Amino acid sequence: MKVLVTGGAGFIGSHVVRALLAEGHEVTVLDNLFTGSLDHIPLSEVHSWVMDIRGTRARREIEFSRFDAIVHLAGQTMVDMSLKDPYYDADENLMGTVNILEAARKSGVGRIVMASTAAVYGDVAQSRLPLVEETPLLPPSFYGFTKMAVEHYLSLYYRNYGLPYVVLRFANVYGERQGDKGEGGVISIFAKRIAKGQGITIFGDGEQTRDFIYAGDVAGGILAALKTENVNTEYNLATQTETSLNQLIHLFAEVAGRDIEPEYADARKGDIRRSMLANGKAKAGLGWEPKVSLKEGLANTYEYFARK
């Protein structure tokens, strides 16, 4: 299969590229390198385009290349950035995606696999956890809102132009090669500082929770989405496990083999208090399930940053 991975030099993209190559696919990476790095991918094994998803050049290259599928990971991924600069968030996530979709429909791409997020659900009542895909979407941030809007664009592109799609709503992704930005960035921030013997800060009381999922498991979900017959719908990629930041620190202490005493600061505006996603639909529709435990994934991540 001939596959384009937008954002392929980024954190999640680098895991996806490796998984695609391991299965023998022909891979092209499109990345503007704003947060990604060509050092993250095996350049000798892929075609690499350094360009922006919003540009005319990207659209023309995609139309000319006629891919079998596109894995669309590129975009703005930070809640706080979307609140500071809503225009930038919309330009990246909405207009950038529409540019990719236009190229896809005009060149007969067989499928789009789109990275969405748990942020589309918003801060919901505890009684609704774990969140299923049918949960009403009420994002509190512009980031969550633009991702929700992109999901609607995909549905309309299918209804109007017949472009098949799969939306994957990621829980909080973490792992090797992660930067400090994005939804799962707390783990990379902690891992780097702990590896250097530095202190860490928790924003809030530490009882806020997330559903942390290892990037290798997300890559496996994306590969499953490229193959499934159950398309034109949304799936959560999650562990269906709720972990507080205080619990996360305890696991990091076990991995690092030393006590860790965090400092606490005021909670950040726009952050969701609790989050856990149901993964039953992905198990049934994609034949996928997470394989890496949080402790094992933290160990992989910590050891990666300890070597840096």
Side-chain angles (χ1 to χ4, degrees):
M1 188 183 299
K2 188 177 181 181
V3 183
L4 172 68
V5 183
T6 72
F11 155 53
I12 296 175
S14 69
H15 287 264
V16 173
V17 166
R18 284 169 169 76
L20 286 166
L21 291 172
E23 289 198 351
H25 299 290
E26 181 183 345
V27 180
T28 298
V29 168
L30 188 162
D31 203 299
N32 66 4
L33 304 183
F34 180 67
T35 58
S37 170
L38 293 179
D39 292 337
H40 289 167
I41 56 177
L43 280 175
S44 63
E45 301 177 50
V46 302
H47 307 288
S48 59
W49 298 346
V50 179
M51 59 185 75
D52 196 288
I53 58 172
R54 296 167 291 181
T56 301
R57 182 183 170 207
R59 187 169 69 250
R60 289 175 177 169
E61 291 286 357
I62 294 169
E63 290 179 19
F64 177 79
S65 297
R66 297 191 174 275
F67 294 100
D68 298 309
I70 296 176
V71 177
H72 184 35
L73 302 174
Q76 197 293 115
T77 64
M78 295 175 286
V79 169
D80 59 345
M81 176 61 75
S82 78
L83 295 170
K84 292 175 183 175
D85 193 346
Y87 182 92
Y88 171 69
D89 180 77
D91 195 31
E92 281 273 320
N93 290 343
L94 285 179
M95 298 314 300
T97 298
V98 171
N99 201 40
I100 298 297
L101 291 176
E102 280 293 278
R105 78 170 176 97
K106 290 179 180 179
S107 60
V109 169
R111 180 175 303 185
I112 298 279
V113 176
M114 170 70 199
S116 189
T117 168
V120 297
Y121 294 115
D123 203 350
V124 301
Q126 177 182 342
S127 60
R128 303 197 71 154
L129 299 179
L131 301 178
V132 297
E133 287 81 355
E134 294 74 24
T135 303
L137 306 184
L138 296 168
S141 67
F142 295 113
Y143 165 61
F145 186 87
T146 54
K147 286 293 190 178
M148 179 182 71
V150 163
E151 292 188 15
H152 287 292
Y153 266 96
L154 286 163
S155 177
L156 286 169
Y157 264 77
Y158 170 67
R159 286 158 56 188
N160 286 291
Y161 308 121
L163 177 62
Y165 70 93
V166 177
V167 167
L168 300 176
R169 294 172 181 161
F170 300 159
N172 291 79
V173 189
Y174 72 96
E176 302 93 323
R177 296 180 295 281
Q178 185 174 23
D180 295 345
K181 302 175 181 179
E183 294 172 79
V186 63
I187 286 182
S188 67
I189 293 169
F190 287 177
K192 290 175 184 177
R193 295 189 66 84
I194 293 168
K196 295 177 181 178
Q198 299 172 338
I200 58 175
T201 300
I202 291 177
F203 294 94
D205 60 8
E207 292 306 307
Q208 61 268 47
T209 65
R210 295 293 181 267
D211 186 336
F212 294 108
I213 184 166
Y214 183 61
D217 283 333
V218 168
I222 289 171
L223 262 62
L226 289 169
K227 302 171 187 175
T228 184
E229 296 180 357
N230 303 308
V231 297
N232 307 319
T233 190
E234 304 79 32
Y235 297 97
N236 294 331
L237 290 189
T239 64
Q240 198 169 311
T241 302
E242 197 175 6
T243 303
S244 73
L245 295 188
N246 288 330
Q247 290 172 323
L248 184 67
I249 295 301
H250 177 75
L251 287 173
F252 259 125
E254 292 184 2
V255 166
R258 65 181 179 85
D259 292 336
I260 300 171
E261 294 293 336
E263 294 184 358
Y264 291 86
D266 292 340
R268 295 178 294 192
K269 185 178 180 180
D271 277 352
I272 293 168
R273 177 67 176 172
R274 296 181 63 184
S275 180
M276 176 174 59
L277 306 187
N279 59 18
K281 184 177 178 181
K283 288 181 177 180
L286 300 178
W288 167 91
E289 61 182 336
K291 298 177 180 178
V292 179
S293 71
L294 180 54
K295 187 173 182 180
E296 180 184 354
L298 288 180
N300 291 344
T301 307
Y302 174 77
E303 289 166 7
Y304 170 80
F305 287 114
R307 294 192 301 268
K308 296 291 284 183

